[in-house]
Amino acid sequence: MGSEIWIVALLLSQALILPIAQAAEPHTERISGSAGDVLEDDPVGRLKVFVYNLPRKYNKKMVDKDSRCLTHMFATEIFMHRFLLSSAVRTLDPEEADWFYTPVYTTCDLTPGGHPLPFKSPRIMRSAIQYVAMNWPYWNRTDGADHFFVTPHDFGACFHYQEETAIQRGILHLLKRATLVQTFGQRNHVCLKEGSITVPPYAPPQKMQAHLVSPSTPRSIFVYFRGLFYDVNNDPEGGYYARGARASVWENFKSNPLFDISTDHPPTYYEDMQRSVFCLCPLGWAPWSPRLVEAVVFGCIPVIIADDIVLPFADAIPWEEIAVFVAEKDVPSLDTILTSIPAEVILRKQRLLANPSMKQAMLFPQPAQAGDAFHQILNGLARKLPHDKSVYLKPGEKVLNWTAGPIGDLKPW
Amino acid sequence: MFHNNHGTRRSTAAARSSASGGLEGGGVGSPAASSASDGSSFRPSASTFWLLLHGLCCLISLFLGFRFSRLIFVLLFSNTIYTYTTTTTTTITSTRTETLTVSFPLTHTPPIETAVKPNNSAIELSDKMSNQGSSHSQVVVGRHGIRIRPWPHPDPTEVMRAHRIIERVQQEQRKWYGVKSPRPLIVITPTYARTFQALHLTGLIHCLRNVPYPVTWIVVEAGGVTNETASLLARSRVQFLHIPFHEKMPVEWAERHLTENRMRLHGLRVIRERNMDGIVLFADDSNVHSLDLFDEIQKVQWMGSVSVGILAHSGGPDRTLLTEDEKLNPPIPVQGPACNSSGHLIGWHTFNSIPYSEKSATFVGESATVLPGKMEWSGFVFNARMIWKEAEEGRPEWVKDLDKIGENGEEIESPLALVNDASFVEPLGDCGKKVMLWWMRVEARADSKFPPGWIIDPPLEIVVPSKRTPWQETDDLAGSKLEQDDRRFTRPKSRSSSKRKNTLPGQDN
């Protein structure tokens, strides 16, 4: 008798809760990842960050030397610094800080063509850490375990653009215990360490907002992609660039009317993305690309072709429900894969993408707004708190070897 | 992500790893070099020998290219490489897989399959991680094959599925961002059977089929119902009403405009009799419509007006009638509402026909510029309730009763005759700034012949060249030689030879 009443009560309560849960705006859908519904969390009050005051040569002087650092896709490190300086989570008292931030710009040494050279970056980072270790006691207290660094380069803290060399170098030894905030993410890869926070690359938000068209413009392109398929300058043989995946896309689908793919960059690039159902985001020399950010902002379902990639904020955003993942070996049957996705699944993905907090989480607006990528980074750091007792070293214990790594790195900067 | 590496940077990388041939072999050069050093560490006694061999191979590869040197290294050092696992991959052809679900790649080893491309072998570095014992890293760095399926062309069923997906997506977009409560459309088209009717009507049919709202098409045909029109409409898959009109279409343009007006009024009377509901739109069969138009006219309350782009042209050779600065900014003649700065209707833009006064066409098919009327009917839309018999609530007093129009036999020039006060007309399309339909009149001569339904049945047995067709040699049916000779025009020879060709089939018969 009692159990029946329980069952009835349970059913009634479920019947009541479900319609309330679905009362959200019907053409978007709430996003909750493996860490829960955390996209809209407010980090203020959940953590405190202390920003080290490094000499100008580590940050401001580099930007002054070349202001292109502020607009390229690695500008995250600069804008994160500026955000933290004026943020409510900043504390001026290092004793109460949970996390320590070192503002060193390692991706601001640019070639005349605008590409960052990573050759001095290990030395710059090492020099910054030595400065911090000498002038404040907090580095030696934990050997960097409660410090975080922003390393947005191609392969993160491996500090090289070429994957084989990056793998051979590995992550800079001094950063062994620190938390890294980086764009690179690939499972089981040397250059992604456990506990890193993956972030999207920097894409200028105003430039994208300027090209928005009315959402009633019918989406009439099935698959859209603009970019290189072969990199003849650096990979004349073929087969190295993108592990052959981009070339495979071209060779298989260049004559397919459903695929609007080419290397030609039209001025209506952003508008065309808003008229497409799927946007390809294949790997290049590194698995990540700003295309993901653009696809999310413009509501085009991203098709990720990069094996084992770790996408930004993977614990807060359930990417498997939003994007379509295609293994590199399955690229020849990409058209079969995409056309056999049921229409309801596609509509659901579009609803998730239409959620404004999703778009906001991919952007780095100036000044910062609630729910944007800066806040997601802080949320990620807050989720790692409280620090385990083991991060605090016992007196006399040393974990880091300050002379490890290639000899070239040990040269002072 | 990394778009344009400088070639210089890769060459410095290559220079830093010991040079083992070639400029671009940075990635592959290093394992070969380190394998060389590995080789030397395992045989200290023969280190000088290996060094000499290494130098020799460097020299060879400098002259012959790094592919050769790499092959040499594979052959010589494959048995001494202990720390790096080597796998050879070749470009694979995979038949189209039937997998429909996508998932993260499971552990797999790169397969060894038959090659398609001529380059065959590659050495691959596996991840350092796999050496350190971590299990599932199967993404290898190095050279990969480019997978191409044997038939890299679209499959029609998949294309159809993609179109259904796109249709569903657009339906959803309309549901959320489009017109909230769409009203059905009633389209009135005057037509008559003539040479270019199939051309114009097919275009209009396709346009109406793409309109996302329910459409009722009233086709008023001059001269009564004909089989040509009926067969075109039967295949159209648009809901239509085929109404006969007792007059035949006159040959003179001026008369034709007036007859068309009467035909449109006739269509309006049909709507009135049947009390059809919706938005009335006049679509001439030779006009060109944009799909935006049908979304825009949903906004009309009682009577609205849109801009019509006028594509008047001359059938004859192009004569420049433009002044100098007209050539710089060519004016596109647009007929439609004119608004003041606050968006209120103040007047109408009409087509300036003065430059054409000497040279306009008077009868259908004349090779001169065809001019539109003063005010094209296609630029006006109105709510069907406006012409209903019973005075509906909300029907404005500035609308005349339809029965009273044309009563006394006067000619109706423009739909503004339907209203007492033209200032109540609503300007649509961003106050006429957006042009969503274009007026064009392209007609063949009234006495031109065309096969009924544009079908030649039974097929012609004898083909005779018309006066100006160059006739080629038709011996070699393979055709390639024909294409090469295409441009050559040898008139007397061809004519005589064609005459001979033509008599042959006749003789065979």
Side-chain angles (χ1 to χ4, degrees), chain A residues 154 217 234 238 240 248 288 332, chain B residues 1-2 5 28 143 147 149:
Chain A
D154 291 4
T217 318
N234 303 300
Y240 287 99
S248 177
W288 56 269
Chain B
M1 227 280 283
F2 209 64
N5 240 327
V28 185
R143 191 153 183 238
R147 297 178 165 88
R149 66 186 193 211

Side-chain angles (χ1 to χ4, degrees), chain B residues 153-378:
Chain B
H153 295 295
D155 174 30
T157 11
E158 284 170 14
V159 174
M160 270 324 292
R161 257 187 275 159
H163 282 294
R164 301 243 159 70
I165 290 174
I166 293 177
E167 218 178 287
R168 183 77 188 81
V169 165
Q170 289 184 0
Q171 198 187 347
E172 196 72 14
Q173 276 183 285
R174 268 198 297 276
K175 183 168 149 203
W176 294 121
Y177 307 110
V179 179
K180 281 307 160 203
S181 42
R183 289 173 279 176
L185 298 180
I186 307 168
V187 182
I188 299 184
T189 302
T191 185
Y192 69 108
R194 75 256 191 214
T195 311
F196 284 174
Q197 183 199 32
L199 168 73
H200 297 313
L201 221 49
T202 312
L204 187 55
I205 289 171
H206 289 170
C207 184
L208 292 178
R209 273 177 48 188
N210 281 326
V211 172
Y213 312 112
V215 167
T216 309
W217 193 21
I218 299 182
V219 182
V220 185
E221 182 163 7
V225 170
T226 58
N227 284 337
E228 286 92 350
T229 321
S231 61
L232 273 169
L233 293 180
R235 289 198 311 256
S236 68
R237 287 194 257 173
V238 177
Q239 193 187 7
F240 66 91
L241 279 172
H242 195 173
I243 314 280
F245 191 68
H246 48 90
E247 293 173 29
K248 281 187 80 67
M249 191 64 87
V251 175
E252 291 223 318
W253 276 113
E255 288 295 323
R256 185 176 156 177
H257 288 315
L258 293 175
T259 309
E260 281 182 359
N261 293 346
R262 273 179 253 130
M263 289 163 77
R264 294 186 187 108
L265 280 176
H266 188 71
L268 287 180
R269 284 189 199 102
V270 169
I271 297 179
R272 189 184 165 94
E273 279 164 35
R274 300 176 189 220
N275 277 345
M276 296 169 79
D277 200 6
I279 301 176
V280 181
L281 168 67
F282 297 103
D284 297 345
D285 53 6
S286 51
N287 284 359
V288 179
H289 309 85
S290 158
L291 283 180
D292 303 348
L293 173 71
F294 301 97
D295 295 327
E296 186 67 24
I297 61 178
Q298 293 283 344
K299 295 182 191 160
V300 77
Q301 283 273 22
W302 286 109
M303 183 157 177
S305 157
V306 291
S307 288
V308 183
I310 304 292
L311 300 175
H313 78 295
S314 73
D318 242 336
R319 269 169 258 136
T320 51
L321 305 165
L322 302 170
T323 62
E324 267 309 316
D325 50 17
E326 270 179 338
K327 275 196 206 135
L328 291 173
N329 308 314
I332 299 174
V334 169
Q335 239 184 37
C339 295
N340 61 8
S341 48
S342 52
H344 295 296
L345 183 72
I346 49 171
W348 308 95
H349 291 299
T350 56
F351 182 72
N352 182 11
S353 53
I354 297 177
Y356 299 93
S357 48
E358 310 302 311
K359 309 162 190 118
S360 68
T362 43
F363 60 89
V364 173
E366 184 183 355
S367 64
T369 315
V370 182
L371 295 182
K374 263 281 167 212
M375 205 42 122
E376 280 298 317
W377 283 68
S378 42

Side-chain angles (χ1 to χ4, degrees), chain A residues 354-374:
Chain A
N355 192 338
S357 48
M358 173 78 191
K359 297 186 206 274
Q360 189 75 318
M362 290 284 116
L363 295 174
F364 293 96
Q366 253 76 48
Q369 295 161 6
D372 64 9
F374 297 118

Side-chain angles (χ1 to χ4, degrees), chain B residues 450-461:
Chain B
F450 63 99
W454 284 97
I455 291 176
I456 298 178
D457 184 40
L460 301 177
E461 286 180 0

Side-chain angles (χ1 to χ4, degrees), chain B residues 82-96:
Chain B
Y82 297 106
T83 44
Y84 294 100
T85 57
T86 57
T87 46
T88 55
T89 55
T90 55
T91 50
I92 62 171
T93 54
S94 53
T95 52
R96 195 147 12 130

